[in-house]
PDB file of all heavy atoms in Angstrom:
ATOM      1  N   SER A 427      33.862 -15.002  25.006  1.00  0.00           N
ATOM      2  CA  SER A 427      34.546 -15.297  26.255  1.00  0.00           C
ATOM      3  C   SER A 427      35.682 -14.319  26.556  1.00  0.00           C
ATOM      4  O   SER A 427      36.253 -13.809  25.563  1.00  0.00           O
ATOM      5  CB  SER A 427      35.138 -16.704  26.202  1.00  0.00           C
ATOM      6  OG  SER A 427      36.087 -16.930  25.218  1.00  0.00           O
ATOM      7  N   HIS A 428      35.901 -14.081  27.826  1.00  0.00           N
ATOM      8  CA  HIS A 428      36.900 -13.067  28.197  1.00  0.00           C
ATOM      9  C   HIS A 428      38.277 -13.617  27.895  1.00  0.00           C
ATOM     10  O   HIS A 428      38.638 -14.808  27.941  1.00  0.00           O
ATOM     11  CB  HIS A 428      36.776 -12.832  29.719  1.00  0.00           C
ATOM     12  CG  HIS A 428      37.502 -11.599  30.177  1.00  0.00           C
ATOM     13  ND1 HIS A 428      38.874 -11.618  30.511  1.00  0.00           N
ATOM     14  CD2 HIS A 428      37.039 -10.333  30.384  1.00  0.00           C
ATOM     15  CE1 HIS A 428      39.133 -10.396  30.871  1.00  0.00           C
ATOM     16  NE2 HIS A 428      38.141  -9.611  30.828  1.00  0.00           N
ATOM     17  N   GLY A 429      39.231 -12.749  27.528  1.00  0.00           N
ATOM     18  CA  GLY A 429      40.579 -13.065  27.172  1.00  0.00           C
ATOM     19  C   GLY A 429      41.402 -13.701  28.291  1.00  0.00           C
ATOM     20  O   GLY A 429      42.384 -14.305  27.941  1.00  0.00           O
ATOM     21  N   ASN A 430      40.978 -13.482  29.482  1.00  0.00           N
ATOM     22  CA  ASN A 430      41.795 -14.142  30.609  1.00  0.00           C
ATOM     23  C   ASN A 430      41.563 -15.579  30.694  1.00  0.00           C
ATOM     24  O   ASN A 430      42.370 -16.231  31.450  1.00  0.00           O
ATOM     25  CB  ASN A 430      41.426 -13.427  31.899  1.00  0.00           C
ATOM     26  CG  ASN A 430      42.067 -11.985  32.017  1.00  0.00           C
ATOM     27  OD1 ASN A 430      42.963 -11.610  31.213  1.00  0.00           O
ATOM     28  ND2 ASN A 430      41.608 -11.195  32.924  1.00  0.00           N
ATOM     29  N   TRP A 431      40.602 -16.076  30.128  1.00  0.00           N
ATOM     30  CA  TRP A 431      40.360 -17.591  30.153  1.00  0.00           C
ATOM     31  C   TRP A 431      41.380 -18.117  29.149  1.00  0.00           C
ATOM     32  O   TRP A 431      41.470 -17.725  28.029  1.00  0.00           O
ATOM     33  CB  TRP A 431      38.946 -17.916  29.703  1.00  0.00           C
ATOM     34  CG  TRP A 431      37.799 -17.541  30.674  1.00  0.00           C
ATOM     35  CD1 TRP A 431      36.898 -16.626  30.513  1.00  0.00           C
ATOM     36  CD2 TRP A 431      37.580 -18.107  31.934  1.00  0.00           C
ATOM     37  NE1 TRP A 431      36.102 -16.485  31.610  1.00  0.00           N
ATOM     38  CE2 TRP A 431      36.528 -17.433  32.522  1.00  0.00           C
ATOM     39  CE3 TRP A 431      38.225 -19.149  32.761  1.00  0.00           C
ATOM     40  CZ2 TRP A 431      35.957 -17.800  33.807  1.00  0.00           C
ATOM     41  CZ3 TRP A 431      37.670 -19.381  33.990  1.00  0.00           C
ATOM     42  CH2 TRP A 431      36.573 -18.713  34.458  1.00  0.00           C
ATOM     43  N   THR A 432      42.001 -19.171  29.566  1.00  0.00           N
ATOM     44  CA  THR A 432      42.987 -19.897  28.692  1.00  0.00           C
ATOM     45  C   THR A 432      42.558 -21.404  28.639  1.00  0.00           C
ATOM     46  O   THR A 432      41.671 -21.885  29.270  1.00  0.00           O
ATOM     47  CB  THR A 432      44.408 -19.848  29.251  1.00  0.00           C
ATOM     48  OG1 THR A 432      44.533 -20.525  30.399  1.00  0.00           O
ATOM     49  CG2 THR A 432      44.828 -18.382  29.487  1.00  0.00           C
ATOM     50  N   VAL A 433      43.332 -22.161  27.720  1.00  0.00           N
ATOM     51  CA  VAL A 433      42.953 -23.540  27.586  1.00  0.00           C
ATOM     52  C   VAL A 433      43.288 -24.297  28.899  1.00  0.00           C
ATOM     53  O   VAL A 433      42.784 -25.404  29.126  1.00  0.00           O
ATOM     54  CB  VAL A 433      43.761 -24.197  26.430  1.00  0.00           C
ATOM     55  CG1 VAL A 433      43.263 -23.622  25.152  1.00  0.00           C
ATOM     56  CG2 VAL A 433      45.245 -23.967  26.594  1.00  0.00           C
ATOM     57  N   PHE A 434      44.089 -23.717  29.870  1.00  0.00           N
ATOM     58  CA  PHE A 434      44.354 -24.415  31.064  1.00  0.00           C
ATOM     59  C   PHE A 434      43.059 -24.354  32.023  1.00  0.00           C
ATOM     60  O   PHE A 434      43.090 -25.091  32.974  1.00  0.00           O
ATOM     61  CB  PHE A 434      45.538 -23.694  31.777  1.00  0.00           C
ATOM     62  CG  PHE A 434      46.818 -23.775  30.983  1.00  0.00           C
ATOM     63  CD1 PHE A 434      47.641 -22.681  30.826  1.00  0.00           C
ATOM     64  CD2 PHE A 434      47.184 -25.015  30.501  1.00  0.00           C
ATOM     65  CE1 PHE A 434      48.819 -22.818  30.130  1.00  0.00           C
ATOM     66  CE2 PHE A 434      48.414 -25.186  29.865  1.00  0.00           C
ATOM     67  CZ  PHE A 434      49.195 -24.068  29.654  1.00  0.00           C
ATOM     68  N   ASP A 435      42.089 -23.486  31.663  1.00  0.00           N
ATOM     69  CA  ASP A 435      40.909 -23.411  32.517  1.00  0.00           C
ATOM     70  C   ASP A 435      39.829 -24.309  32.044  1.00  0.00           C
ATOM     71  O   ASP A 435      38.843 -24.420  32.676  1.00  0.00           O
ATOM     72  CB  ASP A 435      40.376 -21.920  32.483  1.00  0.00           C
ATOM     73  CG  ASP A 435      41.431 -20.959  33.051  1.00  0.00           C
ATOM     74  OD1 ASP A 435      41.844 -21.184  34.177  1.00  0.00           O
ATOM     75  OD2 ASP A 435      41.688 -20.012  32.330  1.00  0.00           O
ATOM     76  N   ILE A 436      40.041 -24.944  30.875  1.00  0.00           N
ATOM     77  CA  ILE A 436      38.951 -25.895  30.369  1.00  0.00           C
ATOM     78  C   ILE A 436      39.111 -27.215  31.112  1.00  0.00           C
ATOM     79  O   ILE A 436      40.223 -27.733  31.307  1.00  0.00           O
ATOM     80  CB  ILE A 436      39.105 -26.075  28.864  1.00  0.00           C
ATOM     81  CG1 ILE A 436      39.062 -24.709  28.112  1.00  0.00           C
ATOM     82  CG2 ILE A 436      38.066 -26.944  28.307  1.00  0.00           C
ATOM     83  CD1 ILE A 436      39.293 -24.800  26.624  1.00  0.00           C
ATOM     84  N   GLY A 437      38.009 -27.832  31.474  1.00  0.00           N
ATOM     85  CA  GLY A 437      38.097 -29.037  32.264  1.00  0.00           C
ATOM     86  C   GLY A 437      37.673 -28.877  33.658  1.00  0.00           C
ATOM     87  O   GLY A 437      37.452 -27.707  34.119  1.00  0.00           O
ATOM     88  N   ILE A 438      37.572 -29.967  34.328  1.00  0.00           N
ATOM     89  CA  ILE A 438      37.132 -29.973  35.687  1.00  0.00           C
ATOM     90  C   ILE A 438      38.283 -29.566  36.618  1.00  0.00           C
ATOM     91  O   ILE A 438      39.351 -30.194  36.538  1.00  0.00           O
ATOM     92  CB  ILE A 438      36.600 -31.355  36.117  1.00  0.00           C
ATOM     93  CG1 ILE A 438      35.424 -31.749  35.205  1.00  0.00           C
ATOM     94  CG2 ILE A 438      36.162 -31.308  37.526  1.00  0.00           C
ATOM     95  CD1 ILE A 438      34.872 -33.143  35.455  1.00  0.00           C
ATOM     96  N   PRO A 439      38.145 -28.512  37.441  1.00  0.00           N
ATOM     97  CA  PRO A 439      39.256 -28.167  38.321  1.00  0.00           C
ATOM     98  C   PRO A 439      39.407 -29.103  39.423  1.00  0.00           C
ATOM     99  O   PRO A 439      38.469 -29.808  39.833  1.00  0.00           O
ATOM    100  CB  PRO A 439      38.889 -26.777  38.805  1.00  0.00           C
ATOM    101  CG  PRO A 439      37.364 -26.737  38.732  1.00  0.00           C
ATOM    102  CD  PRO A 439      36.977 -27.623  37.568  1.00  0.00           C
ATOM    103  N   PRO A 440      40.535 -29.279  40.014  1.00  0.00           N
ATOM    104  CA  PRO A 440      41.772 -28.648  39.491  1.00  0.00           C
ATOM    105  C   PRO A 440      42.377 -29.385  38.322  1.00  0.00           C
ATOM    106  O   PRO A 440      42.653 -30.580  38.474  1.00  0.00           O
ATOM    107  CB  PRO A 440      42.761 -28.726  40.744  1.00  0.00           C
ATOM    108  CG  PRO A 440      42.265 -30.006  41.493  1.00  0.00           C
ATOM    109  CD  PRO A 440      40.769 -30.060  41.197  1.00  0.00           C
ATOM    110  N   SER A 441      42.566 -28.656  37.288  1.00  0.00           N
ATOM    111  CA  SER A 441      43.080 -29.308  36.029  1.00  0.00           C
ATOM    112  C   SER A 441      44.582 -29.392  36.018  1.00  0.00           C
ATOM    113  O   SER A 441      45.246 -28.461  36.420  1.00  0.00           O
ATOM    114  CB  SER A 441      42.614 -28.525  34.786  1.00  0.00           C
ATOM    115  OG  SER A 441      43.251 -28.934  33.592  1.00  0.00           O
ATOM    116  N   PRO A 442      45.099 -30.563  35.730  1.00  0.00           N
ATOM    117  CA  PRO A 442      46.611 -30.809  35.702  1.00  0.00           C
ATOM    118  C   PRO A 442      47.212 -30.447  34.405  1.00  0.00           C
ATOM    119  O   PRO A 442      48.403 -30.719  34.221  1.00  0.00           O
ATOM    120  CB  PRO A 442      46.636 -32.263  36.056  1.00  0.00           C
ATOM    121  CG  PRO A 442      45.496 -32.888  35.388  1.00  0.00           C
ATOM    122  CD  PRO A 442      44.360 -31.867  35.501  1.00  0.00           C
ATOM    123  N   ASP A 443      46.448 -29.797  33.527  1.00  0.00           N
ATOM    124  CA  ASP A 443      47.008 -29.566  32.120  1.00  0.00           C
ATOM    125  C   ASP A 443      48.188 -28.678  32.185  1.00  0.00           C
ATOM    126  O   ASP A 443      49.257 -28.941  31.483  1.00  0.00           O
ATOM    127  CB  ASP A 443      45.973 -28.959  31.260  1.00  0.00           C
ATOM    128  CG  ASP A 443      44.714 -29.892  30.963  1.00  0.00           C
ATOM    129  OD1 ASP A 443      44.890 -31.082  31.219  1.00  0.00           O
ATOM    130  OD2 ASP A 443      43.804 -29.364  30.460  1.00  0.00           O
ATOM    131  N   ALA A 444      48.152 -27.657  32.954  1.00  0.00           N
ATOM    132  CA  ALA A 444      49.326 -26.710  32.966  1.00  0.00           C
ATOM    133  C   ALA A 444      50.611 -27.474  33.522  1.00  0.00           C
ATOM    134  O   ALA A 444      51.687 -27.203  33.040  1.00  0.00           O
ATOM    135  CB  ALA A 444      49.022 -25.562  33.906  1.00  0.00           C
ATOM    136  N   GLU A 445      50.355 -28.270  34.560  1.00  0.00           N
ATOM    137  CA  GLU A 445      51.516 -29.047  35.106  1.00  0.00           C
ATOM    138  C   GLU A 445      52.130 -29.980  34.000  1.00  0.00           C
ATOM    139  O   GLU A 445      53.287 -30.159  33.891  1.00  0.00           O
ATOM    140  CB  GLU A 445      51.092 -29.796  36.343  1.00  0.00           C
ATOM    141  CG  GLU A 445      52.261 -30.606  36.980  1.00  0.00           C
ATOM    142  CD  GLU A 445      51.789 -31.362  38.240  1.00  0.00           C
ATOM    143  OE1 GLU A 445      50.547 -31.546  38.407  1.00  0.00           O
ATOM    144  OE2 GLU A 445      52.680 -31.748  39.091  1.00  0.00           O
ATOM    145  N   SER A 446      51.184 -30.678  33.334  1.00  0.00           N
ATOM    146  CA  SER A 446      51.646 -31.606  32.321  1.00  0.00           C
ATOM    147  C   SER A 446      52.438 -30.935  31.201  1.00  0.00           C
ATOM    148  O   SER A 446      53.459 -31.422  30.766  1.00  0.00           O
ATOM    149  CB  SER A 446      50.397 -32.335  31.704  1.00  0.00           C
ATOM    150  OG  SER A 446      50.731 -33.168  30.638  1.00  0.00           O
ATOM    151  N   VAL A 447      51.908 -29.754  30.737  1.00  0.00           N
ATOM    152  CA  VAL A 447      52.620 -28.968  29.689  1.00  0.00           C
ATOM    153  C   VAL A 447      53.999 -28.563  30.186  1.00  0.00           C
ATOM    154  O   VAL A 447      55.018 -28.652  29.455  1.00  0.00           O
ATOM    155  CB  VAL A 447      51.776 -27.835  29.302  1.00  0.00           C
ATOM    156  CG1 VAL A 447      52.572 -26.862  28.318  1.00  0.00           C
ATOM    157  CG2 VAL A 447      50.528 -28.287  28.549  1.00  0.00           C
ATOM    158  N   LEU A 448      54.074 -28.046  31.429  1.00  0.00           N
ATOM    159  CA  LEU A 448      55.390 -27.695  31.993  1.00  0.00           C
ATOM    160  C   LEU A 448      56.409 -28.791  31.998  1.00  0.00           C
ATOM    161  O   LEU A 448      57.602 -28.666  31.668  1.00  0.00           O
ATOM    162  CB  LEU A 448      55.233 -27.038  33.415  1.00  0.00           C
ATOM    163  CG  LEU A 448      54.596 -25.686  33.493  1.00  0.00           C
ATOM    164  CD1 LEU A 448      54.445 -25.260  34.907  1.00  0.00           C
ATOM    165  CD2 LEU A 448      55.408 -24.624  32.728  1.00  0.00           C
ATOM    166  N   GLN A 449      55.872 -29.902  32.481  1.00  0.00           N
ATOM    167  CA  GLN A 449      56.742 -31.124  32.555  1.00  0.00           C
ATOM    168  C   GLN A 449      57.282 -31.563  31.215  1.00  0.00           C
ATOM    169  O   GLN A 449      58.432 -31.987  31.035  1.00  0.00           O
ATOM    170  CB  GLN A 449      56.058 -32.216  33.322  1.00  0.00           C
ATOM    171  CG  GLN A 449      55.854 -31.977  34.789  1.00  0.00           C
ATOM    172  CD  GLN A 449      55.087 -33.161  35.511  1.00  0.00           C
ATOM    173  OE1 GLN A 449      54.811 -34.117  34.905  1.00  0.00           O
ATOM    174  NE2 GLN A 449      54.830 -32.976  36.876  1.00  0.00           N
ATOM    175  N   LEU A 450      56.345 -31.467  30.291  1.00  0.00           N
ATOM    176  CA  LEU A 450      56.699 -31.947  28.860  1.00  0.00           C
ATOM    177  C   LEU A 450      57.839 -30.988  28.373  1.00  0.00           C
ATOM    178  O   LEU A 450      58.824 -31.427  27.787  1.00  0.00           O
ATOM    179  CB  LEU A 450      55.519 -31.855  27.975  1.00  0.00           C
ATOM    180  CG  LEU A 450      55.797 -32.346  26.545  1.00  0.00           C
ATOM    181  CD1 LEU A 450      56.255 -33.752  26.399  1.00  0.00           C
ATOM    182  CD2 LEU A 450      54.590 -32.100  25.629  1.00  0.00           C
ATOM    183  N   ILE A 451      57.636 -29.669  28.500  1.00  0.00           N
ATOM    184  CA  ILE A 451      58.567 -28.708  27.858  1.00  0.00           C
ATOM    185  C   ILE A 451      59.950 -28.792  28.561  1.00  0.00           C
ATOM    186  O   ILE A 451      60.991 -28.860  27.892  1.00  0.00           O
ATOM    187  CB  ILE A 451      57.977 -27.263  28.009  1.00  0.00           C
ATOM    188  CG1 ILE A 451      56.787 -27.134  27.081  1.00  0.00           C
ATOM    189  CG2 ILE A 451      59.042 -26.233  27.574  1.00  0.00           C
ATOM    190  CD1 ILE A 451      56.073 -25.762  27.197  1.00  0.00           C
TER     191      ILE A 451
END
Side-chain angles (χ1 to χ4, degrees):
S427 61
H428 196 276
N430 286 345
W431 294 110
T432 69
V433 292
F434 297 132
D435 297 308
I436 303 175
I438 301 174
S441 172
D443 293 347
E445 181 180 18
S446 177
V447 170
L448 286 178
Q449 291 179 2
L450 178 65
I451 294 175

